Amino acid sequence: MSVAISHIEDTPLQETLYQFDESPLLARQRQQESNARSYPRRIPLALKRAKGLYVEDVEGRRFIDCLAGAGTLALGHNHAVVIEAIQQVLSDELPLHTLDLTTPVKDQFVQDLFGLLPAELAREAKIQFCGPTGTDAVEAALKLVRTATGRSTVLSFQGGYHGMSQGALSLMGSLGPKKPLGALLGNGVQFLPYPYDYRCPFGLGGAEGVRVNLHYLENLLNDPEAGVLLPAAVIVEAVQGEGGVIPADLDWLRGLRRITEQAGVALIVDEIQSGFGRTGKMFAFEHAGIIPDVVVMSKAIGGSLPLAVVVYRDWLDTWLPGAHAGTFRGNQMAMAAGSAVMRYLKEHDLAGHAAAMGERLGEHLRILQRDFPQLGDIRGRGLMLGVELVDPNGKPDVQGHPPVHRQLAPLVQRECLKRGLILELGGRHGSVVRFLPPLVITGAEVDRVAEIFGRALAAAVASL
Ligand SMILES: Cc1ncc(COP(=O)(O)O)c(C=O)c1O
């Protein structure tokens, strides 16, 4: 098979900067697509082809893709094993659509997935295939825990992101997309402070911030005057992604597991973004050695194609037949591609590789931080990394940290794009630059990403 786009290391650093005049395709997109469109506003590219870490636009310009389908493309674009799996489905004339009927491909997919789970969970795991996208699996998880516990409310975390359908949206920390809609699950969702160490909701940080956070939660669940009904579940990201790449302290995660277990509350871990090796373990909850009751998965699990599942412990399996359904639950191509990705991840220890590459990228960023105090907090796990950009001249907060810089992150993003590097933003006020490259990124490629980022940062800071 011919490789459409040459390897990144063959491409010299750009001398001339890309300019972004609106092309006819982009102009038509702006006119015809909803005002809700998001990525094209900051990444105004019309893409033509892609391979590995690279995408090429219709004008023949190459970009390093450290967005990778919002963390979906564990093996990068069009990896040989993914393409082969898809081609096999076609050449075998498999039914492309099967509702939730089983097939050898589906059976293999489940075996591959359960083979990646911690043994303690795999032994009693049940799986439900959901409608094709992450938010569908979150909806299913909500229904599941409500049905099994007979309770209707859920606790979620400030800064959390679980999708855009109305139930999942009600779990979201960010107010922007929720405000125009008014009540979603009404007061069925109560928000808790997340252990955001750099901007500790209790103004403490460190071990003390974690201790107080857990005490607050334990008190809330056990105080008969708390004003909060005992919930069906707590839903959490072990590393908040869209919320600004915030890794939860591992002792905190263990405490959360202990407290929810003691209270008889299901713990749902949303691994849609952090799962499948991204954080340096197959699943981000494994860093803490905990076993959730429910794990929600999507993105990488479909090997670039839409697929979402919820995996849960046996005690929750009280759904009646047909309690959760959906037409597009049998995407054979996505299952075949997902199986190929899962096997490749395991055989090549890409979780270990992601840990090493994340460490390497983090080291580059920490070196840059010596010259750029605007890099306030460098954080994350594995290849789920982020940098919170701050205004070093602003008034420090109660923890002594400078305030976020509201203009700088979009400038850095733009300067990166001009130099051929696609990065996304997240966090409060979009002030966190996020690195979500494919897990197959090499050391030399990491160095290249860091070099471009450094140049872009210097240009952005100079332009302030
Ligand atoms: C942690 C998490 N949960 C849920 C979702 C929603 O997934 P989807 O956009 O596929 O509906 C996302 C998407 O970014 C996510 O990062």
Side-chain angles (χ1 to χ4, degrees):
M1 205 181 98
S2 70
V3 175
I5 297 177
S6 66
H7 200 260
I8 177 174
E9 286 160 53
D10 304 335
T11 311
L13 268 183
Q14 271 177 231
E15 298 301 330
T16 52
L17 302 185
Y18 293 150
Q19 298 302 319
F20 297 99
D21 304 323
E22 194 177 53
S23 68
L25 249 75
L26 289 167
R28 262 205 303 284
Q29 181 184 36
R30 182 171 48 75
Q31 282 156 13
Q32 296 177 334
E33 284 190 26
S34 160
N35 200 43
R37 70 195 180 283
S38 54
Y39 293 110
R41 295 177 190 275
R42 299 182 299 279
I43 306 171
L45 303 181
L47 299 179
K48 189 172 66 181
R49 51 186 191 161
K51 185 81 186 167
L53 193 61
Y54 251 93
V55 295
E56 189 177 304
D57 77 353
V58 291
E59 293 171 43
R61 301 180 296 194
R62 288 177 188 178
F63 297 84
I64 299 171
D65 186 5
C66 279
L67 173 56
T72 301
L73 305 168
L75 307 189
H77 293 272
N78 294 325
H79 193 281
V81 298
V82 170
I83 300 300
E84 201 182 306
I86 293 172
Q87 282 169 340
Q88 196 65 48
V89 169
L90 292 175
S91 61
D92 289 351
E93 295 189 340
L94 290 177
L96 294 180
H97 187 291
T98 65
L99 300 166
D100 65 348
L101 302 178
T102 199
T103 67
V105 167
K106 183 179 191 181
D107 182 66
Q108 185 61 52
F109 174 87
V110 176
Q111 308 324 311
D112 287 332
L113 176 58
F114 281 19
L116 297 185
L117 297 174
E120 194 183 335
L121 178 56
R123 266 197 298 279
E124 56 165 320
K126 297 279 179 187
I127 184 168
Q128 170 73 14
F129 287 80
C130 305
T133 191
T135 198
D136 297 322
V138 171
E139 296 290 341
L142 288 178
K143 287 172 61 181
L144 179 85
V145 294
R146 290 166 124 188
T147 307
T149 62
R151 299 180 215 126
S152 62
T153 61
V154 176
L155 299 182
S156 188
F157 287 94
Q158 291 158 355
Y161 185 98
H162 301 285
M164 284 284 187
S165 54
Q166 302 213 31
L169 195 56
S170 69
L171 306 169
M172 184 190 282
S174 173
L175 296 174
K178 297 181 8 166
K179 250 195 260 167
L181 303 175
L184 292 159
L185 283 192
N187 52 12
V189 181
Q190 177 81 21
F191 284 86
L192 297 170
Y194 193 76
Y196 182 1
D197 192 50
Y198 190 67
R199 309 269 180 208
C200 176
F202 299 102
L204 296 166
E208 191 57 3
V210 167
R211 190 190 65 75
V212 170
N213 188 311
L214 289 172
H215 177 77
Y216 177 81
L217 170 64
E218 191 157 23
N219 188 60
L220 188 87
L221 290 183
N222 293 290
D223 177 5
E225 300 268 341
V228 173
L229 291 168
L230 190 68
V234 174
I235 182 164
V236 69
E237 293 158 271
V239 180
Q240 284 190 340
E242 306 302 304
V245 199
I246 308 172
D249 178 271
L250 300 182
D251 281 335
W252 180 84
L253 279 171
R254 286 187 275 270
L256 175 65
R257 176 64 286 192
R258 175 184 57 77
I259 292 165
T260 47
E261 194 152 29
Q262 284 169 356
V265 170
L267 179 62
I268 305 173
V269 178
D270 181 341
E271 291 275 357
I272 287 173
Q273 189 167 135
S274 58
F276 301 98
R278 170 135 318 266
T279 67
K281 296 263 187 206
M282 199 51 74
F283 298 100
F285 66 76
E286 291 182 273
H287 290 277
I290 60 168
I291 302 293
D293 297 297
V294 184
V295 186
V296 191
M297 308 175 200
S298 186
K299 292 200 193 273
I301 201 175
S304 318
L305 300 175
L307 190 64
V309 302
V310 53
V311 169
Y312 54 94
R313 290 169 118 167
D314 199 33
W315 72 270
L316 287 162
D317 200 28
T318 61
W319 263 338
L320 294 174
H324 193 70
T327 303
F328 287 106
R329 289 177 293 153
N331 187 339
Q332 298 301 295
M333 273 197 200
M335 290 177 203
S339 268
V341 168
M342 287 190 279
R343 268 179 260 143
Y344 194 93
L345 285 176
K346 201 169 171 175
E347 281 161 19
H348 294 81
D349 184 26
L350 283 190
H353 181 69
M357 293 301 103
E359 191 48 49
R360 187 171 180 138
L361 182 54
E363 195 48 41
H364 280 300
L365 296 173
R366 283 187 288 276
I367 290 168
L368 268 178
Q369 196 178 30
R370 292 184 204 145
D371 293 328
F372 292 98
Q374 291 83 0
L375 303 187
D377 192 28
I378 298 162
R379 59 183 180 237
R381 290 202 172 104
L383 283 173
M384 196 165 170
L385 278 186
V387 186
E388 184 165 324
L389 298 184
V390 299
D391 176 1
N393 302 317
K395 185 170 172 280
D397 67 13
V398 63
Q399 289 175 273
H401 299 142
V404 295
H405 199 306
R406 296 189 185 209
Q407 291 82 41
L408 186 55
L411 286 175
V412 172
Q413 184 185 35
R414 192 68 168 184
E415 292 298 333
C416 284
L417 199 63
K418 285 191 202 166
R419 290 163 176 78
L421 173 62
I422 299 174
L423 291 173
E424 181 49 331
L425 307 181
R428 271 73 170 178
H429 313 292
S431 62
V432 178
V433 179
R434 311 187 53 200
F435 296 85
L436 276 174
L439 308 188
V440 290
I441 192 168
T442 65
E445 290 165 344
V446 165
D447 299 346
R448 176 73 68 96
V449 166
E451 185 174 357
I452 298 175
F453 176 75
R455 290 179 186 212
L457 177 66
V461 169
S463 74
L464 282 172

